[in-house]
């Protein structure tokens, strides 16, 4: 069994942001999702709305993803 320094449960906005923020660290990171994407029956995009604060915008800017949103 592999050992990890951090296990991120859930690949939503917060989990993915954390993984992205730690991508250049030396930490061994694992991500766990409840359902394997390949096994999902519905592969449509999630169309739920989200509200972000100015601080959230700044964090996403520092992660380099704000221009893609």
């Amino acid at each position: 069994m592999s050992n990890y320094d951090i296990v991120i449960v859930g690949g939503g906005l917060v989990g993915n942001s954390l993984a992205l923020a730690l991508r250049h660290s030396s930490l061994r990171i694992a991500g766990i999702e409840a359902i394997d994407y390949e096994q999902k029956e519905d592969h449509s995009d999630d169309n739920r709305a989200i509200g972000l604060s100015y601080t959230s915008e700044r964090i996403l800017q520092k992660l380099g993803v704000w221009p893609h949103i």
Side-chain angles (χ1 to χ4, degrees):
M1 175 179 273
S2 297
N3 293 317
Y4 297 97
D5 298 309
I6 294 177
V7 176
I8 301 171
V9 179
L13 182 60
V14 175
N16 282 325
S17 294
L18 177 59
L20 188 60
L22 297 173
R23 72 188 180 276
H24 296 301
S25 73
S26 62
L27 298 170
R28 293 165 297 177
I29 302 168
I32 298 175
E33 267 298 328
I35 300 172
D36 184 348
Y37 182 79
E38 297 298 324
Q39 294 177 354
K40 281 180 67 173
E41 292 180 16
D42 179 15
H43 287 96
S44 63
D45 289 335
D46 186 349
N47 293 321
R48 291 179 287 178
I50 186 169
L52 297 173
S53 68
Y54 177 66
T55 302
S56 297
E57 178 185 343
R58 290 180 55 206
I59 290 168
L60 294 172
Q61 284 176 353
K62 288 187 179 195
L63 293 174
V65 297
W66 186 252
H68 306 284
I69 295 178

